[in-house]
């Protein structure tokens, strides 16, 4: 569970690292939401891979 949280935080940090000026709280929320969407893509790929039956 903590690895999932760390992965999510890392993805958010990667997505938001190029922002030079944080104008307001709304902007920060939008960028964090974008990072969480990207992290969710990685989680879905992981869930799909683990759900595949092994032969």
């Amino acid at each position: 569970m903590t690895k999932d949280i760390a992965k999510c935080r890392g993805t958010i940090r990667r997505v938001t690292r190029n922002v030079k000026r944080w104008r307001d709280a709304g902007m920060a929320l939008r960028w964090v939401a974008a990072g969480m969407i990207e992290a969710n893509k990685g989680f879905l790929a992981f869930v799909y891979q683990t759900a595949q039956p092994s032969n």
Side-chain angles (χ1 to χ4, degrees):
M1 181 65 144
T2 55
K3 288 183 181 181
D4 294 337
I5 295 169
K7 183 176 179 177
C8 186
R9 289 183 64 196
T11 303
I12 292 170
R13 185 169 293 178
R14 181 179 51 83
V15 169
T16 61
R17 73 176 164 215
N18 291 329
V19 178
K20 301 299 180 204
R21 293 189 183 174
W22 295 96
R23 302 201 192 287
D24 58 6
M27 182 180 181
L29 288 173
R30 287 190 300 273
W31 277 100
V32 169
M36 292 181 86
I37 290 170
E38 287 296 315
N40 190 33
K41 291 177 185 177
F43 291 140
L44 292 176
F46 176 74
V47 169
Y48 179 74
Q49 288 175 356
T50 58
Q52 295 296 319
S54 300
N55 290 335

